[in-house]
Amino acid sequence: MLSVQAAHAGGGGGGIVFDPTNWIQTSATAASTVKQEGIAVQNAARMAKMVIDSGKMVQGRSLGITDMTQAVQLAQQLGKLAGADDALLNAIGNKQTYINDVIALYGASKSGDFTTFVNSIGQRANLGNANAKNLLTQHDVLNAAIQVAQGKRLQIASEMGSVPGVTQAVQVATAALDTLIEQNQVQASALAAQLAAAAKREAMETASRTNADSQMADYATATRSRLRTLGITP
């Protein structure tokens, strides 16, 4: 979940390669398109307000406004969409800050490569490390916030219907956001696989250590028994 892009590594290892740079680029693109959408929404809202203030329908024809009631409704919907855009930008910004913080942690960790760093966090979380668990939980919360904000935004846009300029901007931003959310889902799946693999390795290593300890104990018991049989007290 800390990863930004997950792809299977080449060769027979079947490991997962993490590329935070790709997520940062996708996130920046999504944020930029939402901001452009915000400008289109502001322009349309300004025009709707002019119609309401002046009472003249001529100014609203470019937005498809045919009467005052429609102008008021559109202004209200545009206001809701602007609020949804702000919430979405805030959610994306929080995730960007999180990724930057994780990259800073990676730089300070001297872990070698980013995949090793992510694996180490997963392993520490599986072993009960509170900081590692919080880091993973925060990632899930931030991803969920982006999806919730996107869902609200799309609901408002669908209720608003087609508005020249605004509708096109919404479509462009939605495409970019879909890519971002898809990458977030890939992140989650990739790290879930990493965590499962880390837990499995830990379980196998524990079982191996337990088995080795048991074998050593059996060997020591057998040796003492043999020595006693020979009349030697260990």
Side-chain angles (χ1 to χ4, degrees):
M1 300 171 195
L2 301 178
S3 69
V4 181
Q5 180 187 29
H8 288 289
I16 297 175
V17 177
F18 296 96
D19 179 14
T21 304
N22 188 61
W23 190 94
I24 292 172
Q25 291 173 342
T26 303
S27 175
T29 298
S32 176
T33 57
V34 174
K35 289 176 182 177
Q36 291 301 313
E37 176 182 309
I39 293 173
V41 169
Q42 289 174 3
N43 290 338
R46 189 178 303 112
M47 191 167 294
K49 187 175 185 302
M50 287 173 60
V51 171
I52 295 170
D53 291 343
S54 67
K56 298 178 180 178
M57 291 300 107
V58 175
Q59 295 173 318
R61 287 175 184 170
S62 62
L63 292 177
I65 296 173
T66 57
D67 58 55
M68 188 61 65
T69 299
Q70 189 179 11
V72 172
Q73 290 175 343
L74 179 58
Q76 292 173 342
Q77 289 170 323
L78 289 168
K80 291 180 181 178
L81 184 56
D85 284 345
D86 288 342
L88 185 53
L89 284 171
N90 183 62
I92 294 173
N94 288 339
K95 183 66 184 293
Q96 287 173 318
T97 299
Y98 171 85
I99 291 294
N100 288 332
D101 288 345
V102 169
I103 292 174
L105 287 173
Y106 163 57
S109 71
K110 299 179 181 179
S111 296
D113 59 73
F114 196 71
T115 301
T116 301
F117 171 67
V118 170
N119 287 343
S120 70
I121 291 176
Q123 289 167 353
R124 291 200 298 274
N126 281 327
L127 293 173
N129 183 283
N131 289 334
K133 284 185 175 181
N134 289 339
L135 205 59
L136 301 183
T137 299
Q138 185 183 6
H139 177 274
D140 287 341
V141 170
L142 292 172
N143 281 352
I146 291 175
Q147 288 185 275
V148 169
Q150 166 71 332
K152 290 180 179 179
R153 167 186 167 275
L154 290 176
Q155 180 64 32
I156 294 168
S158 66
E159 292 173 353
M160 188 170 60
S162 180
V163 178
V166 174
T167 299
Q168 292 85 339
V170 168
Q171 291 171 345
V172 171
T174 297
L177 287 161
D178 284 346
T179 300
L180 176 63
I181 290 172
E182 181 180 358
Q183 282 197 356
N184 283 343
Q185 292 170 339
V186 169
Q187 291 173 25
S189 297
L191 191 56
Q194 287 285 358
L195 292 175
K200 184 178 180 180
R201 284 195 302 272
E202 181 63 25
M204 290 176 65
E205 290 170 1
T206 299
S208 178
R209 288 193 298 270
T210 300
N211 185 51
D213 290 345
S214 177
Q215 289 178 346
M216 287 297 295
D218 290 345
Y219 176 75
T221 299
T223 299
R224 285 193 297 269
S225 177
R226 178 62 177 164
L227 290 173
R228 281 195 295 270
T229 299
L230 295 172
I232 302 171
T233 303

